[in-house]
Amino acid sequence: MASEIGSLWGSDALAAMLRRLDVGYVALNPGSSFRGLHDSLVNYLGNADPKMLLCLHEENAVALAHGWAKVTGEPMAVVLHANVGLMHATMAIYNAWCDRVPMVILGAGGPVDADLRRPWIDWIHTSRDQAAIIRPYVKWDDQPASLNASLRAMAQASVVTKTAPQAPTYVCFDVTVQETRLDDLPELPDPAAFAVPDAPLPAPGQIDDLKQRLEGAKNPVFMMGRMSRSEADWAARVALAERFGAKVLTDIKTGAVFPTDHPLHVGPPSFFLSGPQAEALRAADLIVAFDWVDVAGAIKQAGAEAPVVNVSIDHHLANGWSFDHTGPIGAVLHIAAMPDDCVTGLAKALELQPGPVPASLPALAAVPFEASTGPISMRGFAAALGEGLGDDLVTLVRLPLGWDASTWHFRHPLDYLGYDGGAGIGSGPGMLVGAALALQGSERLPVAVLGDGDTMMGISALWTAARYQIPMLAVVCNNRSYFNDEVHQEKVAKARNRPVENKWVGQAITGPDLDFAAMARAQGLVGIGPVASPDALAEAVAEGLRLVKEGAAVLIDARVEPAYSEAMAKGMTTDG
């Protein structure tokens, strides 16, 4: 290859190492700090294995890799420009950290050797410790000073991000390492020598202990949180719940992990516990939490007093910077293992024979569609969405904060992928593009319901879908407001005996309204809308999905009435 392209450079070795690590895609926004690596990806590797995915903002690049990981469970590579690109990406990195997804992030800086820095630009784009600004929310980082050290760091970053519990890793390259001429390509580290360690398994005694506790319980409750997308794991969860008659709670913050139309499922799932879920916890005599997000908060919200068994290794990622690890859990038994490994161990000990893996079924709205030319309520939105999707097999990549989960059923692990982890705004469009890329060529069509504020902050991510012809459907649930904060302002106004009718001030996204369909068309997508009635929405969704099947990226602007589910509104505004 060297004879065809002239001299070899340090960045050629870095690019070759990405290929050796089986990295298929690199999401990036260009930057001079990694100009050497950029050239190597294009001219040394031919922009294939990995292929570059050009994004219009660094936060979109990370969000795209986040969406990819939520489908595949595997890391995508992201490249960020110097300290400034890293600063742009911080919110998205925090989301990926909180959501516990794998991702290899590569950065770069100006020359560490100050004598080699260009005036001005290399000084303001060089940091003594670049990873310091994200170290609290990445799993591991390095800033190697030589080519061989850089290659080893890449191998280690790949291993560490894939090791449970998963989270992003970061490696920062010196520009001089990339731009040093080589006589020969150095020997690349062998990925086989950096094997990903297996997650710890439950101790046999712990499986026996949990088995005895479940056999002695009359009203056990399973809290199923961050669990796998595996169909076999799904079937094992159902078999275990049925064996003990355990009530099952799921969470809208995480992906689908149990059939929500199963008789043992207690819902609706919500960002905070719904009323029936809290009641189930209060009535429980044993609670088993399978890597649930914020066990302590849920127990406190419900006022539950039953003994808790916590199945999780998330404690390995706890640190003192943020409280994403949530409060301490008073557990009578802590099984430090991946939750599905515990389910499998229990099923084996009980000699359970899980039923067949769930068949992929069409989307299922839990509320009937009623033809109407009137305004779109949130329940009417769900019904119209289901009507428009019909019998097509879809994956709901994202749902907005105002979604009422009582209006929809999940019956397969790919029916719904969950929220963004850190509850930031602006990640939805990028996550949709990444998930759609991962689903491309499968039997499933990617669909996301996005909030208007979330869409506006991340809307430039949609260009990447158009650029790389990634079919997908985005439906903007457009209530023309930062309604989350309207709910808070209403609470404050009532507490202070002030006018509630002023809650919209500084919140409403009106005068002028945002034209999302026009912004989508401007980026090369098909834009539909705005639509303002259930009838029009159902027709638009059906048409949009038809176009997606033909290979298009489509956005629908749907004007909805602002509202939150009862559980969401109560959870957001309850003190303590």
Side-chain angles (χ1 to χ4, degrees):
M1 186 179 292
S3 62
E4 299 174 3
I5 61 170
S7 302
L8 287 168
W9 302 88
S11 58
D12 294 338
L14 301 180
M17 190 64 200
L18 280 173
R19 177 175 285 176
R20 191 157 200 203
L21 291 170
D22 290 327
V23 174
Y25 293 99
V26 175
L28 56 81
N29 181 262
S32 61
S33 63
F34 62 89
R35 65 189 185 185
L37 178 59
H38 194 130
D39 169 77
S40 296
L41 291 170
V42 174
N43 293 314
Y44 186 68
L45 296 187
N47 194 24
D49 301 320
K51 178 180 179 178
M52 289 194 300
L53 299 170
L54 177 59
C55 301
L56 303 184
H57 193 287
E58 287 89 350
E59 194 168 345
N60 294 341
V62 176
L64 193 153
H66 188 165
W68 168 273
K70 285 175 83 74
V71 174
T72 66
E74 295 293 328
M76 180 186 287
V78 178
V79 187
L80 303 174
H81 167 49
N83 49 8
V84 289
L86 185 60
M87 284 186 266
H88 264 307
T90 51
M91 179 67 242
I93 296 171
Y94 184 67
N95 279 338
W97 163 266
C98 291
D99 209 24
R100 308 307 192 231
V101 298
M103 184 182 305
V104 175
I105 305 172
L106 304 175
V112 172
D113 185 346
D115 286 342
L116 300 178
R117 292 179 196 154
R118 295 173 293 164
W120 179 60
I121 194 68
D122 275 347
W123 290 86
I124 62 174
H125 284 181
T126 301
S127 304
R128 187 180 306 279
D129 181 11
Q130 192 160 288
I133 60 176
I134 58 168
R135 186 163 295 131
Y137 43 99
V138 293
K139 193 176 177 185
W140 179 84
D141 70 86
D142 196 8
Q143 192 163 324
S146 70
L147 178 57
N148 284 333
S150 298
L151 295 170
R152 290 193 298 270
M154 293 171 73
Q156 188 168 357
S158 179
V159 169
V160 172
T161 197
K162 293 177 182 178
T163 301
Q166 296 179 329
T169 55
Y170 181 72
V171 178
C172 180
F173 299 130
D174 186 342
V175 68
T176 56
V177 170
Q178 301 174 62
E179 300 187 8
T180 297
R181 190 188 298 267
L182 304 177
D183 293 329
D184 297 292
L185 200 68
E187 183 177 354
L188 302 179
D190 183 0
F194 294 81
V196 178
D198 292 334
L201 294 174
Q206 290 182 317
I207 290 292
D208 291 341
D209 188 345
L210 179 52
K211 176 174 171 286
Q212 291 174 14
R213 291 177 186 274
L214 285 168
E215 287 175 338
K218 295 182 179 179
N219 296 300
V221 172
F222 292 165
M223 302 173 69
M224 294 189 173
R226 289 179 290 233
M227 304 183 85
S228 82
R229 305 270 67 77
S230 162
E231 292 178 339
D233 287 344
W234 176 289
R237 292 171 216 146
V238 173
L240 187 66
E242 291 175 347
R243 167 63 174 78
F244 292 106
K247 298 289 195 299
V248 177
L249 276 55
T250 60
D251 184 353
I252 205 72
K253 296 189 293 295
T254 55
V257 294
F258 194 87
T260 56
D261 56 351
H262 192 285
L264 290 172
H265 184 267
V266 179
S270 182
F271 288 95
F272 303 91
L273 292 179
S274 59
Q277 291 181 317
E279 184 178 337
L281 287 177
R282 285 192 295 271
D285 58 359
L286 179 68
I287 298 169
V288 185
F290 292 99
D291 206 19
W292 182 270
V293 177
D294 193 9
V295 178
I299 298 298
K300 180 180 179 182
Q301 181 189 340
E305 298 180 354
V308 176
V309 175
N310 187 38
V311 184
S312 177
I313 56 174
D314 197 59
H315 55 281
H316 289 299
L317 294 183
N319 62 48
W321 181 79
S322 78
F323 297 105
D324 62 276
H325 52 275
T326 69
I329 302 165
V332 296
L333 176 62
H334 182 179
I335 300 177
M338 294 296 285
D340 285 302
D341 288 336
C342 183
V343 171
T344 300
L346 268 173
K348 183 177 180 180
L350 293 162
E351 298 182 346
L352 295 182
Q353 299 295 324
V357 297
S360 293
L361 298 170
L364 180 62
V367 288
F369 174 70
E370 297 180 1
S372 171
T373 58
I376 307 174
S377 67
M378 285 304 296
R379 292 182 69 82
F381 181 97
L385 179 66
E387 179 74 8
L389 295 177
D391 293 332
D392 283 302
L393 196 61
V394 304
T395 290
L396 290 178
V397 174
R398 186 70 173 264
L399 294 170
L401 291 175
W403 184 262
D404 182 351
S406 69
T407 62
W408 205 270
H409 283 307
F410 306 134
R411 298 175 290 174
H412 185 275
L414 282 176
D415 275 358
Y416 173 60
L417 300 183
Y419 205 58
D420 64 8
I425 301 178
S427 62
M431 286 175 60
L432 170 58
V433 177
L437 178 64
L439 291 168
Q440 197 167 15
S442 75
E443 60 181 354
R444 286 183 166 265
L445 302 171
V447 177
V449 181
L450 305 174
D452 49 334
D454 185 43
T455 304
M456 191 62 230
M457 287 191 185
I459 196 161
S460 62
L462 301 177
W463 178 87
T464 301
R467 169 65 181 80
Y468 297 100
Q469 299 179 331
I470 302 171
M472 63 180 207
L473 175 61
V475 186
V476 182
C477 193
N478 185 1
N479 59 21
R480 301 168 303 289
S481 172
Y482 288 109
F483 190 68
N484 183 326
D485 291 283
E486 282 200 43
V487 174
H488 284 286
Q489 291 306 314
E490 180 174 340
K491 176 187 169 81
V492 172
K494 288 179 177 178
R496 298 179 178 182
N497 197 28
R498 292 177 177 176
V500 172
E501 57 268 22
N502 291 335
K503 66 180 181 178
W504 66 272
V505 178
Q507 317 284 1
I509 311 175
T510 55
D513 285 357
L514 297 172
D515 190 339
F516 287 105
M519 285 187 277
R521 288 191 291 271
Q523 297 185 77
L525 284 77
V526 176
I528 300 175
V531 296
S533 72
D535 288 358
L537 176 57
E539 292 177 6
V541 169
E543 173 63 10
L545 210 59
R546 182 188 67 78
L547 294 169
V548 170
K549 293 175 188 177
E550 295 178 356
V554 182
L555 179 143
I556 299 170
D557 182 356
R559 304 297 173 88
V560 301
E561 297 295 296
Y564 277 171
S565 68
E566 180 182 356
M568 182 62 179
K570 186 180 294 185
M572 282 171 31
T573 57
T574 299
D575 296 324

